[in-house]
Amino acid sequence: MENAFSFSMMAKRFGIAGNVAWPCNDREEFTMYLKAFCAAAVLALAGGAASAATCTGSFGGGQTTTFTVNQTVPTGSSVSAACVNNSNDSEGAVSGLFGIDTWMLGDKSGDEDDGDGMVFFTTEFSEGTTSGLWEIANPDNYSSVMLVLKAGNTFGAFLLDSAALMAGDWFTSRDLSHASVYYGGEPTPAPVPLPASALLLLGGVGGLAALRRRRKAA
């Protein structure tokens, strides 16, 4: 009863209907559901048509995996796809994709110690599933950001439309092993002055980035 009461109070605090039946039993599960709720809200508010890219990779015995990524934030984004056959998704394996020789690993799902945290996931990936939402923070506004999905002994790489915050959804024809996000190029400043609401958003993203880097350093 204590957990249910506190979760109900937290739901009201975030403006979520009090009669929602939350399928969670502890604070960690509530946090995961809240993140999913917020990610869905971002996608809903973005509106507009999604940009989708698909590729199919193959590996031993004629097996294949098809990967699809949609980017809905920012609106009007364009995504490019490339699959690599019979390979893992190490930094060496992604080198040269989309004309960039050196991709740096920012984050990897399921392992907070992997990557340098310069770009990072703000939503959780559920390994062993075939679809979900993704959201990536790029607080230093690197010019090139690549989302990689690994399933089977092949992976799909997706060059995103780079922004401080990117979001969309993903699909695979085989259970996901993990997701990674890489970055390349140089940090770039925002091209135009931002409204107060956007500045607050970027401030929050920057705070998350600083916290993540401190955790990695520790």
Side-chain angles (χ1 to χ4, degrees), residues 125-193:
F125 278 82
S126 296
E127 285 77 11
T129 60
T130 58
S131 64
L133 301 176
W134 60 269
E135 186 176 287
I136 296 170
N138 177 22
D140 293 323
N141 211 24
Y142 279 92
S143 56
S144 299
V145 177
M146 178 175 67
L147 172 62
V148 173
L149 304 177
K150 174 77 161 56
N153 192 29
T154 182
F155 66 88
F158 298 87
L159 183 65
L160 305 174
D161 197 350
S162 181
L165 183 68
M166 298 155 279
D169 49 29
W170 60 270
F171 305 88
T172 59
S173 63
R174 187 181 298 274
D175 286 352
L176 181 74
S177 169
H178 60 265
S180 305
V181 57
Y182 290 84
Y183 67 95
E186 299 294 332
T188 55
V192 295

Side-chain angles (χ1 to χ4, degrees), residues 37-161:
F37 175 88
C38 292
V42 168
L43 296 180
L45 289 172
S51 171
T54 298
C55 68
T56 299
S58 63
F59 55 102
Q63 301 180 79
T64 62
T65 305
T66 298
F67 304 87
T68 299
V69 164
N70 298 315
Q71 184 174 357
T72 55
V73 179
T75 55
S77 296
S78 177
V79 182
S80 299
C83 276
V84 178
N85 302 328
N86 295 300
S87 179
N88 59 23
D89 58 334
S90 65
E91 290 186 0
V94 302
S95 176
L97 289 177
F98 306 111
I100 296 179
D101 291 333
T102 303
W103 284 104
M104 302 297 294
L105 178 62
D107 196 10
K108 181 179 178 180
S109 65
D111 191 345
E112 290 188 352
D113 295 327
D114 247 341
D116 59 16
M118 299 303 291
V119 297
F120 56 91
F121 295 118
T122 60
T123 49
E124 299 290 335
F125 278 82
S126 296
E127 285 77 11
T129 60
T130 58
S131 64
L133 301 176
W134 60 269
E135 186 176 287
I136 296 170
N138 177 22
D140 293 323
N141 211 24
Y142 279 92
S143 56
S144 299
V145 177
M146 178 175 67
L147 172 62
V148 173
L149 304 177
K150 174 77 161 56
N153 192 29
T154 182
F155 66 88
F158 298 87
L159 183 65
L160 305 174
D161 197 350

